[in-house]
Amino acid sequence: MRRFNLAVPAAVALALALALGLTAVPAQAHTGRPPGLENCTAAGCHFDVPPGTYDVKVLLGGDAESHTAISGETRRSLLPETAVAAGERASRSFTVNVRTPEGEPTGPDGTPGLDLALGGSAPALAGIRVTPARHARQILLVGDSTVCDQPGDPYSGWGQQLPQYLRKGVSVANYADSGESTVTYLSEPRLWATVQPLIRPGDLVLVQLAHNDKTTDEATYRANLERLVVGVREKGGNPVLVTPIVRRWFNSDGTLNNGTALLVNGLGVDHPAVIRSVAAAEDVPLIDLTAKTKTLVESLGVEGSKAIYLYNEKRDNTHTSVHGATVYAGLVRDELVAQGLVPAGLVRVG
C-alpha cells in the first residue's frame, strides 16, 4: 500500500522551511518569492511558470520511513527513489527543462507550467522551492522513439530516464521524436529547425538517429550526420554521436550478430559503423551504445533481456520498458562521465 505524507506539523514545517530557505508563498501573490507547498497535493505539484530552465529543491521525509521519487512533465524521471528514515529529512535538488510541447516536439503541447508527480513506495514531501536556473549546463537530445519522452506506459526512451542521473546544474532538453530518421529530423520544421537555434555555446547535443533510416543510402546517411555535427558547432555547441541501441534479436547461438539486431538496413548500410566513422573523421565524441547494449543484452540472455524491452507486454524487441530505458540511460551517464563531457560532481551514481 502506498502512503503519502505531504506535510509535517506546522511548527516543525515552518522551522525546516526557514532553515532551508524553502517557501510556501502562492505564486499568484507576486511577492517575488518562489512558490512552495501550497502548489502541491498528495499526487504532485503544479507551478505556473513560463518555459525555461528551473532549479527544484525538495525536502523529503515525514514521521514514518519514506521512499520518494519525482517525475515531471511528460513522464521524465527527475529524482530516483530516495529513502529517508522516520522523523528525518533529506534535501535534494535537480534542474528541469520546461518547454512547449513538453514531450515529443511533434506531439501535443501538454500542460502549461511545470508539473511534478510524486512516486515511490512511500512518498513524503515536506518542502519545495522552484527558482529560475542560472548558468545551468544543457544537454539536448536529438533522436527517435528509443530516446524520446514517451507519452504513455509501458514505453520509455532512455532520454526520458537520463535526468534522474543528473544533479542540480544540468538540464536535459529531450527533442527526440518517434519515427524520425536523419532525413525527416532535418526536414521537419518542428525538429532540427527548432532545436538548432536553442543551442548555446558549450551545450552538449547528443545525436542518436538510425532506427528509422531503413531506406537511407550510406552517402545520404553520412551527409546527414555531418550536417548535424556542423549545425551544432555553428552555434558553439558540442556534438556527441551516439550509436543506436540494439534490437533484441537473437541468433540460435545466443548472440546478436545479425543485421536486424545491429541496425544494418535493407540497403546494407551499417548504421553504427557509419556513425563511428563520422565521429572519427569529424573528431566528435562517440558513445557506442550499440556495443554496450549488445554486451548487456547478450549477458542477460534470451529470457533475462525480455524485461529490458517490451517483449512481455507488446512482443516488441525494439522499444524499451521503463526499467530498460533506465538501465540504458545509466550507460549513457557512465560514458558522459568517463569521457569528461559532464563533471562527475554533477552526476548521480547508483
Side-chain angles (χ1 to χ4, degrees):
M1 177 182 295
R2 294 181 59 181
R3 58 189 185 277
F4 181 85
N5 183 6
L6 178 61
V8 293
V12 178
L14 178 60
L16 288 167
L18 292 173
L20 288 172
L22 300 169
T23 61
V25 177
Q28 61 270 26
H30 301 294
T31 63
R33 296 163 64 187
L37 283 178
E38 77 292 338
N39 291 293
C40 301
T41 67
C45 307
H46 173 78
F47 301 92
D48 291 324
V49 296
T53 305
Y54 295 89
D55 290 331
V56 179
K57 184 175 184 178
V58 294
L59 185 66
L60 306 176
D63 295 335
E65 179 182 343
S66 62
H67 297 264
T68 308
I70 298 177
S71 60
E73 299 296 88
T74 303
R75 301 176 61 239
R76 296 180 223 156
S77 294
L78 300 171
L79 187 71
E81 186 162 330
T82 302
V84 181
E88 300 293 327
R89 303 290 180 269
S91 177
R92 297 290 187 270
S93 298
F94 53 86
T95 300
V96 60
N97 169 259
V98 177
R99 62 181 183 272
T100 303
E102 69 178 36
E104 295 178 271
T106 63
D109 285 353
T111 305
L114 171 61
D115 288 286
L116 302 174
L118 299 164
S121 58
L125 180 67
I128 186 168
R129 179 176 69 181
V130 175
T131 55
R134 297 180 179 179
H135 312 298
R137 298 167 182 254
Q138 183 172 236
I139 300 176
L140 295 101
L141 304 182
V142 170
D144 53 36
S145 59
T146 66
V147 184
C148 75
D149 288 350
Q150 290 279 359
D153 284 326
Y155 295 89
S156 180
W158 62 255
Q160 200 165 20
Q161 301 301 323
L162 185 61
Q164 67 183 298
Y165 289 121
L166 302 171
R167 299 182 185 275
K168 174 186 173 184
V170 185
S171 72
V172 174
N174 190 351
Y175 285 89
D177 197 72
S178 293
E180 307 301 342
S181 65
T182 58
V183 175
T184 61
Y185 204 95
L186 285 165
S187 62
E188 164 59 58
R190 290 171 291 179
L191 298 173
W192 184 238
T194 296
V195 174
Q196 189 190 21
L198 302 175
I199 300 171
R200 308 172 307 191
D203 284 347
L204 290 179
V205 183
L206 275 58
V207 178
Q208 186 217 280
L209 287 167
H211 279 272
N212 299 300
D213 279 280
K214 298 179 179 68
T215 60
T216 309
D217 63 80
E218 183 168 339
T220 301
Y221 186 65
R222 179 181 295 271
N224 288 344
L225 292 175
E226 291 170 346
R227 181 178 167 189
L228 288 164
V229 168
V230 170
V232 172
R233 286 175 167 166
E234 283 177 349
K235 305 298 289 186
N238 299 314
V240 180
L241 293 179
V242 183
T243 60
I245 66 170
V246 295
R247 294 190 179 100
R248 183 187 163 277
W249 201 270
F250 284 93
N251 296 327
S252 58
D253 64 358
T255 67
L256 299 177
N257 296 316
N258 59 77
T260 300
L262 300 181
L263 283 296
V264 178
N265 76 7
L267 301 178
V269 180
D270 185 331
H271 293 104
V274 176
I275 296 169
R276 295 176 189 121
S277 175
V278 172
E282 300 295 328
D283 192 25
V284 175
L286 173 75
I287 296 178
D288 199 340
L289 206 51
T290 305
K292 291 185 174 298
T293 56
K294 178 179 184 292
T295 297
L296 176 62
V297 171
E298 287 180 340
S299 71
L300 292 172
V302 174
E303 290 301 318
S305 61
K306 288 179 178 178
I308 294 288
Y309 292 85
L310 293 172
Y311 179 85
N312 294 324
E313 300 87 349
K314 302 286 186 177
R315 295 297 188 268
D316 186 333
N317 293 308
T318 297
H319 297 96
T320 48
S321 63
V322 171
H323 165 66
T326 302
V327 172
Y328 285 177
L331 297 177
V332 175
R333 179 269 318 269
D334 292 346
E335 281 297 296
L336 291 174
V337 174
Q339 297 190 38
L341 299 171
V342 175
L346 293 178
V347 173
R348 301 183 201 277
V349 179

